[in-house]
Amino acid sequence: MEMNSEKTYAVLIDGDNIATKYIGDVINELSSYGTLTIKRVYGDFKNPRLKEWERISLKYSIIPVQQYENTKGKNSTDMVMAIDAMDILHSGEVDGFCIISSDSDFTRLAARLRESGREVIGMGNRNTVPAFMAACSTFKKLENLGEKEEEELADMSTIKEEIMDILSETEDDTMYTSRLRDTLVRRNPGFDIKDYGFSKFSAFLQSIDSLQLYERGTKVGIKGSTAAEIRDMVTTLVKRGSYTTNELNGLIKRRYPDFNLKSIGFSSWRSFINSMGMWIDSHKHVKMHSRSI
């Protein structure tokens, strides 16, 4: 997801459900998405168990919303949070919501906010139910924020298969890394590269043997696929010398006799060359842009 400092968010925290020790990291993480214009925490703060929220609320300028436990065993905090969220939604004051809870009861609320076109960032413990994670636009595990305990690395086989499936659905088995990341998050809202021991998505991709990065790491492709090999070949040739599209076509056919542009998803040389960040001059020579290496 592309971060935008101009976006505004409402942060709604389930104080009954979330430990105060995570809040500093939560606020730091969310601040990178945009401006946190509304920050509220909900709970029965007369309960000694929630006493620490008084200090935390003052420190991070979070407004406590007192909700008495009128009936033992019934959590009315969830309902108050949901009502406030809908009031904020209809006020049109924010671009998105941050729901901080591990409670599955917020699954429908997250889905409803997204139905209204709002981004929903969820945060909760690692044992949060998958349904709530999937209902959010993005879900972050609290244990992965800041300098928390190292979580056991998840099995990469499933995410590898997901990446390969996504790339194989494209015209030439390649995709911009930012788009691939966004697609992964949409399909798996709980996806976090920190689960795999990485801080950068590009480094995560480089660790997967079946993938290859292109164009200064801005694109990724399936290693060994004909389309990816052809892109690599064209890039290498153009870096080394001056070739027309006809000359490139002939060189490619020597290695791949069945080559044609349509087989890799393009209708013209211009569209194929432009997709790699290059251009064709008036004499049909393929050129690198000045910013390319």
Side-chain angles (χ1 to χ4, degrees):
M1 184 185 68
E2 296 298 327
M3 297 182 181
N4 184 346
S5 60
E6 296 180 356
K7 286 187 175 181
T8 56
Y9 293 87
V11 183
L12 308 180
I13 305 170
D14 181 0
D16 292 330
N17 187 265
I18 296 298
T20 56
K21 66 180 180 179
Y22 292 117
I23 300 307
D25 292 323
V26 165
I27 297 300
N28 288 338
E29 177 76 13
L30 293 176
S31 295
S32 65
Y33 285 80
T35 303
L36 311 180
T37 57
I38 297 172
K39 291 180 288 183
R40 299 176 186 173
V41 58
Y42 300 78
D44 183 1
F45 303 109
K46 301 299 183 182
N47 187 326
R49 184 174 63 86
L50 302 184
K51 183 175 177 58
E52 181 66 9
W53 274 110
E54 180 178 356
R55 182 183 69 82
I56 294 296
S57 297
L58 289 171
K59 181 176 181 179
Y60 295 103
S61 189
I62 302 170
I63 296 176
V65 179
Q66 172 66 32
Q67 181 58 38
Y68 293 99
E69 187 177 348
N70 298 316
T71 305
K72 191 170 183 61
K74 298 290 185 180
N75 189 356
S76 55
T77 297
D78 296 1
M79 183 175 294
V80 176
M81 269 184 68
I83 292 172
D84 273 8
M86 296 309 295
D87 285 344
I88 295 168
L89 171 66
H90 292 302
S91 73
E93 295 177 6
V94 298
D95 299 305
F97 290 81
C98 310
I99 300 177
I100 317 303
S101 179
S102 301
D103 195 334
S104 61
D105 289 346
F106 291 111
T107 300
R108 183 66 187 108
L109 174 62
R112 176 65 180 83
L113 295 173
R114 291 186 68 188
E115 287 172 1
S116 297
R118 296 300 192 273
E119 181 183 1
V120 178
I121 302 169
M123 289 190 180
N125 297 320
R126 64 168 67 106
N127 62 353
T128 302
V129 296
F132 179 41
M133 292 185 184
C136 300
S137 309
T138 303
F139 188 89
K140 300 284 185 179
K141 299 184 182 82
L142 294 172
E143 292 86 356
N144 285 351
L145 301 179
E147 298 297 327
K148 302 302 176 191
E149 298 178 2
E150 183 179 353
E151 185 177 4
E152 183 180 353
L153 296 183
D155 181 7
M156 288 183 66
S157 60
T158 301
I159 204 67
K160 282 182 180 180
E161 291 177 5
E162 185 82 20
I163 289 174
M164 298 298 282
D165 286 344
I166 293 170
L167 290 175
S168 64
E169 292 169 3
T170 64
E171 293 179 334
D172 62 347
D173 296 333
T174 65
M175 180 181 282
Y176 282 104
T177 54
S178 58
R179 183 182 170 196
L180 175 60
R181 181 190 62 227
D182 293 347
T183 304
L184 275 173
V185 170
R186 283 196 300 272
R187 295 188 181 186
N188 307 274
F191 172 73
D192 190 336
I193 58 171
K194 292 179 182 178
D195 286 341
Y196 303 90
F198 296 91
S199 59
K200 293 184 177 180
F201 188 60
S202 58
F204 169 74
L205 293 175
Q206 286 176 324
S207 72
I208 302 177
D209 293 337
S210 54
L211 301 178
Q212 185 170 342
L213 296 181
Y214 305 90
E215 299 174 24
R216 295 182 176 181
T218 62
K219 297 195 82 171
V220 63
I222 300 174
K223 187 182 292 184
S225 72
T226 301
E229 290 177 354
I230 289 172
R231 292 173 70 91
D232 246 5
M233 179 180 178
V234 170
T235 300
T236 300
L237 288 170
V238 174
K239 283 180 179 178
R240 292 177 178 174
S242 178
Y243 295 89
T244 65
T245 54
N246 286 336
E247 289 169 337
L248 289 173
N249 189 68
L251 290 169
I252 293 171
K253 280 186 173 292
R254 289 182 188 176
R255 185 179 298 182
Y256 305 98
D258 298 327
F259 166 74
N260 66 76
L261 286 172
K262 288 184 179 180
S263 68
I264 58 173
F266 292 92
S267 59
S268 70
W269 268 96
R270 189 169 301 279
S271 61
F272 175 52
I273 294 301
N274 288 345
S275 75
M276 294 190 292
M278 297 183 283
W279 59 287
I280 302 173
D281 67 14
S282 57
H283 300 291
K284 295 187 177 181
H285 284 85
V286 178
K287 303 287 187 180
M288 289 278 189
H289 284 294
S290 58
R291 66 176 179 274
S292 300
I293 296 176

